[in-house]
Amino acid sequence: MVGASAAGLAAAETLRREGYEGTLTLIGDEPYHPYDRPPLSKQILGGQWDPDRVPLRAPADLDALGLDLRLGVAATGLDLADRTVALADGARVPYDGLVIATGVRPRRLPGDGGERAHVLRTLDDALALRDRLGPGRRLAVVGAGFLGAEAAAVARGLGAEVTLLEPAPVPLAPAVGERVGRMLARAHHDHGVDLRTGVAVAEVTDGGVRLTDGTLVEADEVLVAIGSVPNTGWLEGSGLTLGDGLECDEYSAAAPGVYGAGDVARWHNPLFGTAMRIEHRTNATEQGMAVARSLLRPDERRPFAPVPYFWSDQYDFRIQAHGYLRGHEEVAVVEGALEERKFLAVYRSGDRVAGVLAVGMPPKAVRTWRQAVATRAAWRDAVGELVPEGT
Amino acid sequence: MSGDKGDGDGSGEGKGVTMRVEVDVPKCVASGQCVMIAPDVFDQREEDGIVVLLDERPPSELHADVRESAVVCPAAAIRVVEK
Ligand SMILES: Cc1cc2nc3c(=O)[nH]c(=O)nc-3n(C[C@H](O)[C@H](O)[C@H](O)COP(=O)(O)OP(=O)(O)OC[C@H]3O[C@@H](n4cnc5c(N)ncnc54)[C@H](O)[C@@H]3O)c2cc1C
Ligand code: SF4
């Protein structure tokens, strides 16, 4: 396993639990035991948790897996013919089966190398930003995606003055639709965040953030949260297909005996009939488990066809979504009301239910709609007439 | 039903393995994965979806599902202790 985080660990754990007794090497370039990322922009940034809360497994449980753990060392190359992975320390690790789970890294902006510029992907990133936030500090967040929005909310909670800069007119519209995006924008306004949409950022400068029209948005700290880039550099020249991530088939296989899992992997999900790369916490685990099973029992392997799930905490509410919302053609609020921040919205692609997004709804209601996604229920039966977005 | 032969459910250990389940409630993010996998062992609070442990010592036929829930839980909030 290359990549010692959610997906790599899930693969290792599943291989052991389901009877693999051979050598299991888990390679990761971070110096820490596998840890969880979602709390980084929530409890860690907010200072409610100490870093000792984020390891994914207790040391004893990790020990019990009997892994050959190679931490703090990056994989630098892959030889498919030889079946070896080359490491930065010069070692070559032979394999019979390989799981590629190297995740993603933050996309950067020009000039963001300086003191005040931050990204938020690792524990060190989160601790560095946390140490510089507090009452009266001015934070500019570039990008109002889930990550930027969560960080903005937490920074407000710490008393910082927050400016949130977003190029699109409505934040997250492609992901969750215009109406839910506007609801999120209102939540920022209500909590005193200066949300500026439709602005293009040119660079991070000494004084803050420079927009393309020349305006300087002054800030003490700048968080760049403009999406991510798959960590596939070490696979270049290996013969594997790299595009937007590691290209895999419906089994998450990239080559015979070589699988991709988690944020780095793009695979064909037969449930939705489309290729997708999912940057969600549960997908990392589920895909790690699925590829472990395919490695253990190649004759019984099945396509990886999950209903993706994510959650995001914003201020005092939590968004939960099941399904594949991107590219949706219609959104219907079937329960509750957006204005009250208690609602359940259903998403349509083609003539089928593609996803459900809920805020503050009882878990049973959400699970019922998730089932409609899992069975790809017909929209007409589940919701009603088809009304295209924008009519 | 405490299975004194390994009956191929993947646990392999045989002879009356006992299981204790621990949940770290403040870590739970209300995803409901555990409830979908092992509804006899886990439930969710109606108001906020936070996990409720129904059975701290589940019977052996549920062990495989509980172990699965512990791995799947996106908050690493479920811990399984087996003896
Ligand atoms: C701040 C933050 C908040 C998030 N919040 C949520 C949330 O609320 N809900 C949600 O669903 N998802 C959330 N996510 C997404 C979720 O954390 C990811 O989907 C998940 O971590 C993916 O796991 P992974 O194992 O695929 O990749 P990663 O966690 O990225 O792990 C990949 C590992 O591989 C290492 N690596 C990279 N290249 C190499 C190499 N060449 N050699 C060795 N090691 C290498 C990396 O350093 C890293 O340790 C959040 C992510 C972040 C960063
Ligand atoms: S799977 Fe984990 S996070 Fe989800 S409800 Fe169960 S305990 Fe909570």
Side-chain angles (χ1 to χ4, degrees), chain A residues 123-170:
Chain A
L123 181 57
D124 292 347
D125 294 339
L127 295 175
L129 182 57
R130 180 185 80 181
D131 287 348
R132 318 248 322 214
L133 292 180
R137 299 288 292 176
R138 296 167 308 169
L139 173 71
V141 180
V142 185
F146 286 113
L147 182 65
E150 283 193 355
V154 169
R156 280 304 292 155
L158 294 171
E161 291 169 26
V162 181
T163 308
L164 184 52
L165 304 167
E166 168 60 39
V170 178

Side-chain angles (χ1 to χ4, degrees), chain A residues 53 61 286 293 320 367, chain B residues 24 27 30 44 68 79:
Chain A
R53 292 283 278 155
D61 295 348
E286 289 173 0
R293 286 170 179 157
Q320 305 202 66
R367 288 204 298 270
Chain B
D24 190 339
K27 275 193 174 179
Q44 287 174 280
E68 180 97 357
R79 183 156 186 258

Side-chain angles (χ1 to χ4, degrees), chain A residues 13 17 36 49 53 55-58 61 281-282 285-286 289 293 309 311 318 320 322 362-364 367 370, chain B residues 10 24 26-27 29-31 33 35-36 43-46 49-50 67-68 70-76 79:
Chain A
E13 207 167 35
R17 216 157 50 81
D36 208 13
W49 285 9
R53 292 283 278 155
L56 284 167
R57 295 290 175 263
D61 295 348
R281 178 61 183 77
T282 39
T285 303
E286 289 173 0
M289 295 172 81
R293 286 170 179 157
Y309 165 78
W311 81 99
R318 169 173 289 151
Q320 305 202 66
H322 296 271
K364 274 198 197 72
R367 288 204 298 270
R370 179 197 182 273
Chain B
D24 190 339
K27 275 193 174 179
V29 299
S31 72
Q33 310 296 119
V35 184
M36 289 186 268
D43 198 358
Q44 287 174 280
R45 295 201 297 237
E46 195 57 18
I50 296 298
R67 285 189 212 105
E68 180 97 357
V71 180
V72 167
C73 171
R79 183 156 186 258

Side-chain angles (χ1 to χ4, degrees), chain A residues 17 25 81 87 91 93 150 205 270 339 348 390:
Chain A
R17 216 157 50 81
T25 310
L87 304 188
V93 180
E150 283 193 355
T205 70
E339 304 73 54
R348 172 174 72 77

